[in-house]
Amino acid sequence: MNNFDFCTPTNYVFGRDTELRAGELAAACLGNKILLCFGGHSAKASGLLDRVETSLRAAGVEFVEFGDIKPNPTDDRVYEGIDLCRRENASGILAVGGGSVIDTAKAIAGGVPYSGDFWDFWAGKAVMTEAMPVGVVLTIAAAGSEGSGNSVITKIDGGKKVSLRTNVLRPRFSILNPALTETLPAYQTACGIVDMMAHIMERYFSNTRDCELTDRLCEGALKAIVDLAPRVMADPADYQARANLMWAGTVAHNGILGVGREEDWTSHAMEHELSALYGVAHGAGLSVVFPAWLDYVAQFNSDKIEQFGRRVFGVESSAEAIAALRTFNRAIGMPITLAELGITDPDIPLLVSNLHDTKGPLIGNFCPTDPSASEKIYRLML
């Protein structure tokens, strides 16, 4: 087990009707004038945005709306948000939505106090040392951005989808009301389930030895998700199943499941290129990518995959473990091939080129992947 520092300063406010505390928390953490970020039609149609705004007004917090943030968020909206924050002299940002809204809010927060181009941080040209305070009202259990310092943004020029990871961007508070997820379409729910499992597995598949406690925490979270997923797919209004899944999504990505070990993140990097080029949902892309990556690395490093199979799915071999993962993904309505994603003629050379241009000649730690290996993994998705 490696040395580690772990700090999660986010205040998690969990349970029914907790969005009604948005004003109180914003006043305490974000200041008296905020940028209110949200996605599309659902936040307004559901009445959630009205409830949040009523709470803000009651607490004396002014706000400026910044909506219509799309999935796979892009740099153009970040630039718009930075300009708006500066014009309005905003003191903080509240994100009402899922990972795309939260990641956009975080990027804006890091860009406002910086004199250069916010993309410098994502391109590795600068190190972020300060950011505006961010709060969250979560609507989708998936990305885990409500508890992490991560933000994934796509630069339209060149189609580069890049993740930044810094504790500077951890939210000051996150409001998690599981009931808000009960009206999600089944496909979005399933995408979220795959995403949170992938966040755990990126940490779990590690060569660092003697991390038994962290391994068991990962395996317990994965087993819980596998057991809970059929319940929410069968009954979207199962509050207790939704509650456990929402917390699992947060725990999967707030860092606790990666302490003391070297992490991997090859599958996320490969999926980012798929969604940047073809616009697929991130969770659906991961449903195709992760088993293919496991297929490839099993020939070099099978012991941990066998442990995963025994402890999570109750099977013995690495092949059975990978098959069980694919069977689970398919059972909740997720694709397991590129064709099922709607990508019938993938440009694999371009995917590989973009991947290694962004991430370098070798990717990941569990089984470091060069361009030749990346091409083989993409072909395993066909």
Side-chain angles (χ1 to χ4, degrees):
M1 190 173 191
N2 299 336
N3 292 0
F4 65 87
D5 289 358
F6 175 66
C7 177
T8 176
T10 304
N11 177 27
Y12 301 106
V13 181
F14 190 99
R16 292 185 187 275
D17 300 324
T18 44
E19 69 272 17
L20 302 180
R21 294 181 58 189
E24 160 204 340
L25 292 162
C29 302
L30 307 182
N32 60 10
K33 187 170 186 180
I34 65 170
L35 186 72
L36 182 60
C37 296
F38 55 94
H41 174 71
S42 61
K44 288 187 174 181
S46 67
L48 173 60
L49 201 63
D50 284 342
R51 295 195 297 276
V52 169
E53 292 183 349
T54 297
S55 179
L56 292 171
R57 292 188 188 98
V61 177
E62 296 181 52
F63 57 87
V64 179
E65 289 189 355
F66 185 67
D68 200 30
I69 297 170
K70 299 292 195 297
N72 293 319
T74 50
D75 61 333
D76 58 332
R77 300 310 313 281
V78 177
Y79 291 119
E80 289 178 37
I82 290 170
D83 289 344
L84 185 56
C85 275
R86 288 172 176 166
R87 288 200 309 270
E88 297 289 340
N89 198 27
S91 55
I93 305 176
L94 181 62
V96 179
S100 296
V101 175
I102 303 167
D103 284 7
T104 300
K106 288 176 178 178
I108 295 167
V112 169
Y114 181 58
S115 60
D117 184 343
F118 92 92
W119 189 256
D120 289 348
F121 301 120
W122 274 253
K125 296 178 180 178
V127 175
M128 190 180 294
T129 58
E130 61 178 328
M132 297 175 67
V134 174
V136 172
V137 179
L138 185 66
T139 60
I140 302 174
S145 193
E146 70 278 0
S148 78
N150 295 42
S151 173
V152 181
I153 302 294
T154 298
K155 187 171 183 62
I156 294 174
D157 183 11
K160 292 188 179 296
K161 186 173 183 178
V162 181
S163 175
L164 177 70
R165 188 174 188 175
T166 169
N167 282 330
V168 174
L169 291 179
R170 285 186 182 266
R172 301 293 177 88
F173 66 85
S174 286
I175 294 171
L176 294 86
N177 177 1
L180 298 179
T181 68
E182 292 176 3
T183 57
L184 285 173
Y187 188 80
Q188 279 189 284
T189 296
C191 284
I193 289 166
V194 172
D195 195 7
M196 64 180 77
M197 289 181 69
H199 289 154
I200 299 169
M201 292 188 293
E202 295 280 20
R203 295 169 166 94
Y204 179 78
F205 289 108
S206 169
N207 295 316
T208 309
R209 302 183 66 82
D210 298 316
C211 294
E212 185 66 12
L213 175 60
T214 311
D215 271 359
R216 293 290 187 175
L217 290 173
C218 289
E219 292 154 359
L222 287 166
K223 280 182 65 65
I225 294 166
V226 168
D227 289 344
L228 291 162
R231 286 176 53 183
V232 296
M233 300 309 292
D235 180 7
D238 185 335
Y239 176 85
Q240 293 302 334
R242 289 280 187 186
N244 279 275
L245 276 178
M246 180 169 266
W247 187 235
T250 300
V251 170
H253 206 36
N254 75 352
I256 187 66
L257 300 185
V259 296
R261 67 175 67 210
E262 190 175 55
E263 301 176 6
D264 189 72
W265 298 99
T266 304
S267 295
H268 264 74
M270 298 188 77
E271 196 292 319
H272 284 166
E273 298 308 327
L274 281 178
S275 52
L277 191 59
Y278 296 108
V280 301
H282 179 54
L286 286 168
S287 180
V288 175
V289 172
F290 222 109
W293 174 78
L294 286 170
D295 273 335
Y296 179 79
V297 301
Q299 62 187 306
F300 307 107
N301 202 344
S302 64
D303 289 353
K304 195 62 177 283
I305 303 173
E306 290 168 0
Q307 177 180 298
F308 164 75
R310 286 193 304 274
R311 294 183 179 181
V312 177
F313 287 109
V315 298
E316 291 299 323
S317 70
S318 59
E320 289 174 312
I322 299 164
L325 180 60
R326 282 195 171 102
T327 297
F328 170 81
N329 289 350
R330 175 157 277 167
I332 61 171
M334 286 284 95
I336 60 172
T337 67
L338 290 177
E340 291 174 16
L341 268 178
I343 306 170
T344 55
D345 186 23
D347 190 339
I348 290 177
L350 180 59
L351 288 167
V352 172
S353 174
N354 288 349
L355 175 67
H356 289 277
D357 283 349
T358 302
K359 295 297 184 183
L362 285 177
I363 303 169
N365 296 302
F366 188 65
C367 185
T369 302
D370 63 14
S372 174
S374 298
E375 179 178 351
K376 291 173 184 174
I377 295 168
Y378 277 124
R379 293 197 181 282
L380 286 169
M381 304 175 201
L382 296 173

